[in-house]
Amino acid sequence: PIIVTDFSGIFLYESFGRVYPCIHLDCSRMSGVRRYCDRAALTVLRSLIAPYSYSGVHYIDTGDYHYMTKLWCEKIQKPFALIVFDHHPDMQPPAFGRILSCGSWVKEMLDTHPFLREVVIIGVADKFTDKQEVGLYNVKIINEASVRQGRAMDLLRTISFDVPIYISLDKDVLSREYIITNWSNGSLSLYTLCLMLQYLVESNKLLGIDICGGIEISNLVSCRQIIQLNNNCNEKILSAIYDTKKASD
């Protein structure tokens, strides 16, 4: 089943919940979790997901909660590589001391996870590429310029992994014609994203995958197009993952 951590109530409008079996974890009443996750909330969240494995598919809500990837990956106790699709590198130092955030979780994983061997980030905005401490870590970047030039898939094929992979997908990596998110959108097409996911699943041992991105729904009528775009994205992404995994198994 898909493990859903539902913070904002967005899952109510996600049609995949009627197609795929899901386990719904209600996080809507939690405080100290939006964008930044304080220590008390971190303890609660770790306890909440404790019964579940890092394997399979995890749906994380909007990009405000992308730090949940770190919590899922804490369960991995063998060498692995992390592949991140995101328009933002999420490698900022924490703004408030050591509080985990949606903008710092990749850096924190690199600093603290004993089994993380390398990170590949795909679709990052060009303006962020030079500002990150990429050179200090084993991080490879396929930036937005490469996406716009149609070179992203070719560049991905040049990277080989000698350890299993975990994939973290923020749908803000996609162009705005495919999805509306509460963060700036990238330039990747939905078709290319699905091709890249299929390639990664076919070519590697997949440990697990999580998906985030979208926007909180305030009004069903006014947000109908946003909901339809998001549901179409989820349908294509989940089909790419599950159909490819089934074929490779």
Side-chain angles (χ1 to χ4, degrees):
I2 298 173
I3 310 296
V4 177
T5 44
D6 186 4
F7 293 91
S8 70
I10 192 175
F11 180 63
L12 180 66
Y13 306 100
E14 304 284 359
S15 60
F16 72 80
R18 298 188 290 274
V19 179
Y20 298 93
C22 295
I23 295 173
H24 179 250
L25 304 179
D26 185 2
C27 308
S28 61
R29 293 179 178 85
M30 292 185 64
S31 60
V33 291
R34 187 174 182 184
R35 299 190 180 179
Y36 294 89
C37 186
D38 65 31
R39 289 176 177 82
L42 206 54
T43 300
V44 173
L45 287 169
R46 284 188 176 119
S47 176
L48 190 65
I49 69 171
Y52 309 107
S53 170
Y54 58 78
S55 64
V57 178
H58 313 98
Y59 182 80
I60 292 180
D61 208 286
T62 74
D64 289 349
Y65 310 96
H66 202 172
Y67 59 76
M68 283 297 301
T69 302
K70 180 179 183 293
L71 275 62
W72 284 116
C73 287
E74 285 174 354
K75 296 170 175 283
I76 302 174
Q77 297 296 303
K78 56 186 174 184
F80 73 103
L82 174 67
I83 293 92
V84 182
F85 290 86
D86 202 319
H87 194 223
H88 312 84
D90 296 350
M91 286 185 63
Q92 301 171 3
F96 302 105
R98 296 294 299 169
I99 296 179
L100 181 67
S101 79
C102 63
S104 69
W105 66 271
V106 173
K107 176 175 166 52
E108 290 219 20
M109 278 189 63
L110 285 160
D111 286 337
T112 62
H113 203 304
F115 293 102
L116 180 57
R117 295 295 179 261
E118 65 177 313
V119 174
V120 176
I121 310 177
I122 300 166
V124 175
D126 305 328
K127 65 180 180 180
F128 293 123
T129 305
D130 297 331
K131 296 181 180 179
Q132 305 306 316
E133 300 169 310
V134 172
L136 302 177
Y137 299 99
N138 191 9
V139 176
K140 297 181 178 72
I141 298 241
I142 298 175
N143 64 11
E144 191 174 6
S146 301
V147 170
R148 288 194 299 266
Q149 294 161 8
R151 298 171 52 234
M153 186 67 191
D154 290 338
L155 289 171
L156 180 60
R157 289 182 189 276
T158 67
I159 304 171
S160 60
F161 303 99
D162 55 6
V163 291
I165 65 170
Y166 184 97
I167 300 172
S168 183
L169 166 60
D170 188 333
K171 289 177 285 186
D172 73 11
V173 75
L174 290 165
S175 166
R176 196 171 173 83
E177 69 186 278
Y178 301 104
I179 190 167
I180 308 299
T181 75
N182 57 346
W183 295 90
S184 63
N185 281 70
S187 301
L188 199 62
S189 72
L190 184 56
Y191 175 75
T192 303
L193 171 63
C194 290
L195 279 183
M196 296 175 94
L197 289 171
Q198 289 168 341
Y199 169 74
L200 287 167
V201 173
E202 285 174 349
S203 308
N204 300 276
K205 178 174 173 51
L206 179 66
L207 294 176
I209 180 167
D210 60 55
I211 302 165
C212 71
I215 193 167
E216 293 183 22
I217 305 301
S218 56
N219 181 284
L220 180 58
V221 175
S222 63
C223 295
R224 192 173 300 278
Q225 184 183 9
I226 293 173
I227 294 168
Q228 289 174 345
L229 282 172
N230 190 43
N231 281 330
N232 181 61
C233 267
N234 289 334
E235 178 187 334
K236 296 287 195 300
I237 289 166
L238 291 171
S239 292
I241 295 163
Y242 282 119
D243 293 349
T244 308
K245 186 105 174 59
K246 194 180 298 180
S248 61
D249 289 347

